[in-house]
């Protein structure tokens, strides 16, 4: 999905690209604290700058770029800035690295668009993973908790 195709925060159907398990946490977010973001774009592509070796056909290069792009679960738009979301039913260590990688790729893919933050939406996360996320500038929200945007 393109950022220009963002949906209103009232859209509660399973987003494209989000697994059913991860959607279990996301649906709580979107009906609760997620209402603070008026719009969300889902399955947003971030390009990795890689080229197909030896290929010069523009159509093939475009296809290669789309097939190798990384995809963010959700991007929220609020007050002219964007927030990257990773939805996980059960959050492990990889969610932190994934969001930090998306943060870097965001700056390549959308250099003119301000990034407001990174948030993991989850049903469960270990305290050590949560603490590590906080030190990396990644906020976490667990279903049922209060959240101040």
């Amino acid at each position: 999905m393109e950022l220009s195709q963002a949906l209103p925060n009232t859209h509660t159907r399973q987003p494209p690209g989000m697994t059913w398990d991860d959607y279990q946490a996301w649906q709580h977010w979107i009906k609760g604290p997620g209402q603070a973001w008026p719009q969300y774009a889902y399955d947003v592509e971030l390009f990795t700058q890689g080229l197909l070796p030896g290929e010069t056909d523009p159509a093939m290069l475009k296809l290669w770029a789309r097939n190798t792009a990384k995809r963010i679960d959700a991007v929220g738009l609020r007050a002219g800035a964007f927030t990257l979301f990773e939805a996980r039913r059960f959050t492990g260590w990889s969610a932190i690295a994934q969001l930090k990688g998306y943060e870097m790729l965001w700056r390549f893919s959308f250099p003119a668009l301000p990034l407001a933050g990174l948030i993991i939406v989850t049903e469960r996360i270990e305290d050590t993973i949560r603490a590590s996320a906080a030190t990396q500038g990644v906020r976490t929200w667990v279903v049922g908790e209060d959240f101040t945007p």
Side-chain angles (χ1 to χ4, degrees), residues 40-61:
Y40 290 92
Y42 297 100
D43 204 30
V44 176
E45 294 178 353
L46 297 173
F47 298 100
T48 60
Q49 308 278 334
L51 294 177
L52 184 59
E55 185 59 61
T56 58
D57 177 35
M60 284 301 294
L61 290 172

Side-chain angles (χ1 to χ4, degrees), residues 78-144:
R78 189 178 117 191
F82 297 86
T83 302
L84 308 184
F85 293 90
E86 180 65 23
R88 300 275 180 101
R89 191 166 193 186
F90 308 113
T91 298
W93 292 100
S94 64
I96 301 167
Q98 196 162 351
L99 271 175
K100 293 304 285 185
Y102 290 164
E103 178 182 36
M104 182 198 70
L105 291 174
W106 179 270
R107 298 183 197 295
F108 290 126
S109 299
F110 305 106
L113 301 181
L115 191 56
L118 310 171
I119 300 175
I120 296 171
V121 173
T122 189
E123 286 186 6
R124 192 176 345 173
I125 187 171
E126 292 179 15
D127 290 341
T128 53
I129 298 171
R130 190 175 201 161
S132 181
T135 64
Q136 298 296 314
V138 177
R139 295 185 70 188
T140 56
W141 179 76
V142 177
V143 172

